[in-house]
């Protein structure tokens, strides 16, 4: 039986009432879990140990990273054929990813919040799923390009960080470099959707693929630069060493699905870069890149829900796609 015209299935009507409170509860719990292990004096000492210039630099790189992430969604709406104004895309992207980065299982957690935003603006569930896939591909491309740069430009440094022999480092770097090149070639040459068993994938056109290969690595380069700024407060570490350690730590966090990479990023970075006691600087990095955006994203989610309900009360019918909700 099909739902009546203009109505939604019961689970879709209930979804907003589940996703929003759950996201807010998880956000509050993650803030408590991260900060509750420290005394206020310890937290204050960790932050004040980082010079203001480094703190501002880290904040600037974090902001640039989140700006890049809004570009992921902006490109994705073009790929699915449902372009939206940048202000709407930026709201959905920042709110979903600031929560998803901390909650873990980002494709599901940030995907649920994205679904909440984009379906109210007229996208179907299939289009939102395709949008999320595009963003995930951009994340993967960003990681492999940054990894290739770290491995090939500084192989001796990569040997120390990874523990691999030089031939293995170079082979791994070449493999990482081949992936985005193959992706770009497929986007230019594939005339039909790629098929693997029951899966099909429409490759984006070359202009979008090139944009992915620019903005994806730029995002991770900015995150690594944010981490580098905080670490420079306690140790003189080269950027590529920090970038290599961050790529490895980020892959470990993605594999384990630990919320916000909590403990994973800290453990991997301290193991790979044991030159100094880095915990204070790592804590500041977590403040700047994870916890401050988490607080802002939670606030934006609450405000958007309030505005949505007010608009729904004033205009009972759904706003057309592309119009602010």
């Amino acid at each position: 039986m099909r739902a009546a015209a203009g109505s939604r299935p019961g689970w879709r009507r209930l979804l907003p009432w589940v996703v929003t409170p759950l996201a807010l509860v998880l956000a509050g719990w993650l803030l408590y879990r991260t900060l509750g292990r420290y005394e206020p004096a310890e937290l204050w000492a960790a932050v004040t140990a980082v010079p203001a210039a480094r703190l501002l630099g880290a904040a600037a790189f974090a902001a640039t990273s989140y700006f890049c992430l809004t570009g992921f969604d902006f490109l994705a709406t073009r790929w699915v054929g449902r372009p939206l104004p940048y202000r709407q895309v930026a709201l959905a992207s920042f709110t979903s990813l600031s929560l998803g980065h901390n909650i873990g299982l980002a494709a599901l957690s940030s995907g649920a919040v994205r679904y909440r935003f984009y379906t109210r603006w007229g996208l179907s569930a299939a289009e939102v799923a395709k949008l999320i896939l595009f963003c995930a591909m951009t994340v993967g491309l960003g990681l492999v390009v940054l990894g290739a740069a770290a491995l090939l430009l500084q192989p001796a440094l990569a040997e120390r960080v990874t523990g691999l022999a030089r031939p293995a480092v170079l082979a791994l770097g070449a493999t990482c470099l081949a992936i985005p090149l193959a992706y770009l070639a497929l986007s230019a040459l594939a005339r039909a959707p790629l098929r693997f068993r029951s899966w099909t994938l429409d490759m984006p056109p070359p202009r979008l693929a090139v944009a992915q290969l620019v903005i994806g690595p730029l995002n991770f380069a900015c995150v690594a630069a944010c981490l580098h700024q905080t670490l420079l407060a306690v140790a003189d570490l080269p950027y590529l060493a920090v970038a290599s350690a961050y790529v490895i730590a980020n892959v470990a966090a993605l594999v384990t699905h630990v919320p916000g990479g909590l403990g994973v990023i800290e453990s991997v970075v301290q193991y790979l870069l044991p030159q100094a006691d880095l915990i204070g600087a790592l804590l500041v990095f977590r403040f700047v890149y994870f916890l401050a955006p988490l607080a802002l994203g939670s606030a934006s989610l609450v405000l958007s829900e309030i505005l949505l309900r007010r608009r729904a009360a004033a205009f009972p019918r759904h706003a057309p796609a592309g119009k602010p909700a």
Side-chain angles (χ1 to χ4, degrees), residues 150 154-163 166 238-242 244 273:
Q154 291 287 340
L157 190 61
E159 285 181 67
R160 294 199 302 272
V161 170
T162 63
R166 179 67 63 90
Y239 171 77
L240 281 177
V242 175
S244 300
L273 304 171

Side-chain angles (χ1 to χ4, degrees), residues 47-58:
V47 173
T48 55
V50 177
R54 296 295 182 198
L55 193 59
L56 288 173

